[in-house]
């Protein structure tokens, strides 16, 4: 079992920045690939970014590439999502996820946090 807790969401103006954190507990964090997904109101959950357990493989959705950065600190059992140049369309609940395989599909992940709200105003 893995427990994931997101934090760092909030309200920010367009062009601003936020850093999300996801703290993991339970099983060995370093054994899991980690992903970030987001879900806007009335829309499906979509892929944002993923990072392998070693941090050596990273993937981003085209919509956030160049603006968002995913990273992890296995010693702290934490994965981060640095979000810069935020746009109103980035507004969503952001979820972190953990899985034994690395990928951009929701089906690659077995454990999910409760989510943190990010709202970007214009």
């Amino acid at each position: 079992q893995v427990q994931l807790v997101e934090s760092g969401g909030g309200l920010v103006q367009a062009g601003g920045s936020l850093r999300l954190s996801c703290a993991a507990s339970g099983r060995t964090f370093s054994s899991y690939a980690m992903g970030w997904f987001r879900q806007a109101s009335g829309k499906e959950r979509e892929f944002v970014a993923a990072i392998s357990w070693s941090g050596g493989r990273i993937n981003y959705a085209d919509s956030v590439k160049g603006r968002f950065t995913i990273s992890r600190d296995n010693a702290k059992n934490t994965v981060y999502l640095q979000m810069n140049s935020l746009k109103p369309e980035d507004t969503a609940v952001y979820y972190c996820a953990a899985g034994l395989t690395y990928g951009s599909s929701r089906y690659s992940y077995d454990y999910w946090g409760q989510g943190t709200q990010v709202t970007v105003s214009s």
Side-chain angles (χ1 to χ4, degrees):
Q1 296 181 341
V2 175
Q3 299 288 333
L4 304 173
V5 180
E6 302 96 336
S7 63
L11 175 65
V12 65
Q13 290 188 341
S17 298
L18 285 173
R19 189 175 79 157
L20 306 183
S21 298
C22 176
S25 62
R27 297 180 178 177
T28 304
F29 173 75
S30 62
S31 297
Y32 290 86
M34 301 294 297
W36 285 97
F37 293 77
R38 66 187 183 187
Q39 187 167 18
S41 296
K43 298 183 179 179
E44 295 183 355
R45 191 170 300 184
E46 65 177 357
F47 170 76
V48 175
I51 186 168
S52 64
W53 69 268
S54 67
R57 298 186 298 279
I58 294 174
N59 191 30
Y60 297 98
D62 289 342
S63 60
V64 306
K65 189 175 181 63
R67 300 188 298 121
F68 291 11
T69 302
I70 188 172
S71 62
R72 66 189 297 164
D73 187 338
N74 290 343
K76 297 181 179 179
N77 293 335
T78 302
V79 63
Y80 305 96
L81 185 69
Q82 178 67 48
M83 305 184 295
N84 299 326
S85 301
L86 283 162
K87 304 175 181 180
E89 51 263 43
D90 294 319
T91 296
V93 176
Y94 283 70
Y95 300 88
C96 71
L100 293 176
T101 59
Y102 168 83
S104 59
S105 171
R106 288 178 289 181
Y107 303 107
S108 297
Y109 301 93
D110 303 306
Y111 305 99
W112 295 82
Q114 294 297 315
T116 185
Q117 177 70 48
V118 172
T119 302
V120 184
S121 65
S122 60

